[in-house]
Amino acid sequence: MRTRLAIKVHGMLERHFPERRVFLKSDTDTRFIRLRPETQLIAFAGGSLLVAWTIIATAVLLMDSIGAGNFREQAKRDQVTYQARLNDLSAQRDRRAAEASAAHARFNAALDQISVMQSQLLTSETRRHELETGIEVIQTTLRSTMKEREEARLALANLQDDAADEAATNLLAAKDAGAPVDFLSEALARTAAERDKVVADAQEALHHADELTHEIALMKENNDQIFRQLEEAMTISVAPLDKMFKAAGMPPQRILDQVRRGYSGQGGPLTPLSFSSRGEELSPDFIRANRLLEQMDTLNLYRIAAEKAPFALPVKQAFRFTSDYGFRRDPKTGGRRMHRGVDFAAPAGTDLHATADGVVTHAGWQSGYGRLVKIEHDFGIETRYAHLSKIRVKVGQRVSRGEHIGDMGASGRVTGVHLHYEVRVGGKAVNPMIYIKAAKDVF
């Protein structure tokens, strides 16, 4: 059975691949090679496979080349789009910085205006108090003068009556005795002059009292205008600060209480007005002034607290954000890990600044961070500035907001020059953009 099948298969191969002989001739001999049908089939199959593999490989290489070209074009388009987006974000950041600078200037101007208006208010209140005291003295003097005038009138009337009687008697006596009466005329004239002087003094006092009353009314109106302007200025100044602290997750009242405890000595919060030492009830203007002083005290405490919290950018020159807070792909390992800060990219050596008042607790090398500066602030806040090329502060040094603390570099575990900036509250990392965005409409 097997032999018959082999003969049948051999016959089929003979029809398609007949036996061939290849003769090899030399000068002295002639040889030939038999190419059996099976051998030809194997050679044909091998050649077909080689041709097929060549076609497939060529097609794959061609498709890869086309795909790679499209990928490069897409990558170039993505790079152009990304660069345009970065430029747009940089322009937006510059606009925000300009707006923040203008807002800060307006805020400082408002503080200066409030200080001037406060001085004017205190001077006006002192002047008004002096005028009220003067009016009381004038009214007392006027009452005494009017009383003396009435007494003088009665005395004058009695004197006139007595003088008339005495004059008649003296005239009769003079007629009888022939004596002069000039002394009587002089006495009457002197009395009339004194009476006219008393009346003129009384009228002048009344006129002066009317002038003082009018001046007090004008001063009250002026004080009311100053009060309104101060109240509007305080509302405009305090509300954004209150909103800023709330947006940063910092309870305003707790922050103010903590600052007040640290600034309760001389030169701290403003002292309420109190011009009376006799325990008298304060006037509405004094109550209004004390309310304003309390608001000014709150504004001053907010200003102190804002200097001690990181409501600022660590980079003041041109930069771009290269990485946000949160999970991201590790550029070294390719895995995902938590990025506990934000990255700012700028040229090497760019100045870096403290974002709030504080004390330097670390200034040196730390694994992963490279050259690192840690600053401890109030309210349990700590900021970190990593990958520096040069550190310009020392441990224990007290720094102020905006002070130059180091230069941007690429030390530690990095892929390029940038600043890694962290904010930690109670030892736990939080998103620094919370503080940066909260302050954008204030500073």
Side-chain angles (χ1 to χ4, degrees):
M1 181 68 181
R2 187 175 299 173
T3 304
R4 265 190 252 140
L5 179 61
I7 294 172
K8 187 176 182 179
V9 170
H10 182 75
M12 291 177 60
L13 291 177
E14 281 284 350
R15 286 196 300 269
H16 295 88
F17 300 99
E19 183 177 323
R20 299 179 188 275
R21 294 181 181 182
V22 179
F23 290 91
L24 303 175
K25 186 177 181 180
S26 64
D27 292 337
T28 58
D29 194 8
T30 300
R31 294 183 180 182
F32 67 90
I33 300 175
R34 289 182 62 188
L35 296 178
R36 294 173 175 273
E38 292 82 358
T39 305
Q40 295 180 44
L41 177 62
I42 293 171
F44 178 77
S48 299
L49 289 175
L50 179 61
V51 171
W53 178 82
T54 304
I55 293 173
I56 294 173
T58 303
V60 170
L61 290 176
L62 182 61
M63 293 299 293
D64 288 343
S65 176
I66 295 173
N70 292 336
F71 180 76
R72 284 193 296 270
E73 292 297 328
Q74 182 64 33
K76 289 181 180 179
R77 289 195 295 271
D78 292 343
Q79 184 178 6
V80 171
T81 303
Y82 181 67
Q83 190 65 38
R85 177 58 177 165
L86 288 178
N87 293 336
D88 183 53
L89 290 174
S90 179
Q92 291 181 8
R93 190 265 309 164
D94 292 338
R95 288 196 298 271
R96 291 294 185 185
E99 292 174 359
S101 178
H104 189 60
R106 290 195 301 271
F107 180 72
N108 290 333
L111 285 180
D112 294 338
Q113 182 181 5
I114 288 172
S115 178
V116 173
M117 296 177 72
Q118 179 189 3
S119 300
Q120 293 176 352
L121 176 63
L122 293 176
T123 304
S124 176
E125 286 294 329
T126 304
R127 175 62 177 163
R128 188 172 72 87
H129 180 70
E130 293 174 353
L131 288 176
E132 288 179 348
T133 304
I135 287 177
E136 291 179 359
V137 174
I138 291 174
Q139 289 176 346
T140 302
T141 305
L142 181 59
R143 285 192 292 268
S144 301
T145 303
M146 292 178 67
K147 183 177 179 181
E148 291 176 357
R149 185 185 65 178
E150 293 298 327
E151 293 175 354
R153 285 179 179 176
L154 294 175
L156 178 60
N158 294 330
L159 183 60
Q160 287 176 343
D161 292 340
D162 295 340
D165 296 338
E166 185 178 356
T169 303
N170 291 334
L171 183 58
L172 292 175
K175 285 183 178 181
D176 295 338
V181 293
D182 292 340
F183 71 94
L184 182 59
S185 298
E186 292 176 359
L188 291 175
R190 188 167 54 253
T191 302
E194 292 176 354
R195 181 198 62 190
D196 294 339
K197 185 176 182 302
V198 170
V199 173
D201 291 341
Q203 291 177 348
E204 183 180 359
L206 289 173
H207 179 68
H208 186 58
D210 292 337
E211 290 180 348
L212 289 178
T213 302
H214 180 66
E215 184 178 353
I216 288 176
L218 292 177
M219 188 171 295
K220 286 182 177 180
E221 183 178 353
N222 186 37
N223 286 348
D224 185 67
Q225 183 178 1
I226 293 175
F227 274 126
R228 286 198 305 271
Q229 292 176 350
L230 282 173
E231 288 167 350
E232 292 174 358
M234 293 306 302
T235 301
I236 295 174
S237 300
V238 173
L241 289 169
D242 188 73
K243 180 180 178 182
M244 178 182 72
F245 279 96
K246 288 181 179 178
M250 303 172 68
Q253 191 57 49
R254 180 174 63 83
I255 297 300
L256 293 179
D257 291 342
Q258 184 172 344
V259 175
R260 186 177 284 109
R261 287 193 298 270
Y263 288 82
S264 59
Q266 185 70 21
L270 301 175
T271 303
L273 292 173
S274 179
F275 290 108
S276 175
S277 60
R278 295 175 293 178
E280 298 177 357
E281 185 177 355
L282 295 178
S283 66
D285 284 344
F286 281 108
I287 296 175
R288 197 173 181 183
N290 284 334
R291 189 182 305 115
L292 277 173
L293 289 176
E294 291 176 358
Q295 291 178 340
M296 290 179 184
D297 179 32
T298 300
L299 178 62
N300 188 40
L301 294 175
Y302 266 133
R303 179 186 59 80
I304 296 172
E307 292 292 331
K308 296 181 177 297
F311 292 114
L313 285 168
V315 184
K316 296 184 178 180
Q317 301 178 18
F319 69 89
R320 64 186 181 93
F321 290 105
T322 55
S323 184
D324 292 329
Y325 177 89
F327 286 96
R328 68 172 186 179
R329 187 179 65 84
D330 192 320
K332 294 288 187 180
T333 63
R336 288 177 58 82
R337 68 182 183 88
M338 181 64 180
H339 186 236
R340 293 180 172 82
V342 292
D343 292 343
F344 301 84
T350 298
D351 294 347
L352 304 177
H353 307 270
T355 54
D357 298 350
V359 178
V360 178
T361 58
H362 179 90
W365 189 275
Q366 183 167 324
S367 177
Y369 286 100
R371 293 183 182 89
L372 173 68
V373 172
K374 296 181 183 179
I375 301 178
E376 182 179 349
H377 311 282
D378 287 352
F379 318 123
I381 300 176
E382 179 190 74
T383 54
R384 296 185 176 187
Y385 312 79
H387 310 311
L388 277 60
S389 62
K390 188 172 184 179
I391 296 175
R392 299 185 179 273
V393 291
K394 298 179 181 179
V395 174
Q397 179 178 341
R398 180 168 292 277
V399 296
S400 302
R401 169 184 286 174
E403 186 170 340
H404 185 194
I405 61 172
D407 301 340
M408 186 178 293
S411 61
R413 193 172 184 272
V414 298
T415 58
V417 176
H418 73 283
L419 165 69
H420 174 79
Y421 174 63
E422 287 186 16
V423 176
R424 293 175 177 257
V425 179
K428 182 180 179 181
V430 299
N431 191 350
M433 296 305 297
I434 294 175
Y435 294 88
I436 296 173
K437 291 179 179 179
K440 67 179 181 179
D441 296 327
V442 179
F443 300 109

